[in-house]
Amino acid sequence: MNTHQLETNCLPDADPVLRVMPMPADANVHGDVFGGWIMAQVDIAGAIPAARRANGRVATIAVTSFLFKNPVFVGDLLSFYGRIVKTGSTSITVEVEVYAERMRLQADVVKVTEATLVYVATGADRRPRTLPPLAN
């Protein structure tokens, strides 16, 4: 698929972990939101389920994939959906999908970004720590 081809979707049937609207300061002179700004928001969104699973502090250790599927514009309402896809003894892998509601019209929803990030649970000393067991 061409990365700038519109991929119209509906929002996933889940609660987003983060919702945000880019402002003019987040865009270049052409009105497209900077990729780095989107990457930062994706990192924040991925850290939310990771920190919940770790029951505390996490640090990003890798971005294993990141795909910009469509541009993001000032005024788009972005919804970030994160889900844990893998855990290790200290690590948590999270997939994040980002959808834009163009000009806040729910009828015009476009998937704009997808990424996979790896976080590690850390202690107060900022060193890796073992994930706590899952509650039953």
Side-chain angles (χ1 to χ4, degrees):
M1 168 188 274
N2 180 324
T3 58
H4 290 290
Q5 177 181 342
L6 285 182
E7 180 180 327
T8 303
N9 300 281
C10 47
L11 293 173
D13 189 23
D15 290 331
V17 295
L18 180 68
R19 294 187 91 187
V20 66
M21 184 177 295
M23 303 304 283
D26 305 317
N28 62 27
V29 297
H30 304 289
D32 298 329
V33 174
F34 288 115
W37 182 87
I38 297 166
M39 293 176 86
Q41 303 306 308
V42 166
D43 189 21
I44 292 166
I48 293 169
R52 286 180 180 149
R53 174 60 187 91
N55 196 29
R57 179 191 307 261
V58 295
T60 310
I61 59 167
V63 177
T64 57
S65 70
F66 208 106
L67 179 61
F68 295 103
K69 299 177 77 65
N70 287 290
V72 173
F73 306 110
V74 170
D76 285 350
L77 178 58
L78 302 180
S79 296
F80 296 75
Y81 297 86
R83 67 183 183 96
I84 295 171
V85 294
K86 180 181 173 187
T87 58
S89 60
T90 63
S91 66
I92 305 157
T93 302
V94 179
E95 287 182 350
V96 177
E97 294 182 325
V98 185
Y99 292 83
E101 294 175 51
R102 299 288 191 206
M103 300 304 187
R104 296 172 298 286
L105 298 174
Q106 287 183 318
D108 192 8
V109 175
V110 179
K111 185 175 188 180
V112 293
T113 304
E114 57 189 39
T116 304
L117 302 94
V118 182
Y119 300 86
V120 66
T122 60
D125 60 358
R126 293 179 170 71
R127 299 186 59 77
R129 65 175 170 81
T130 303
L131 292 175
L134 287 171
N136 290 334

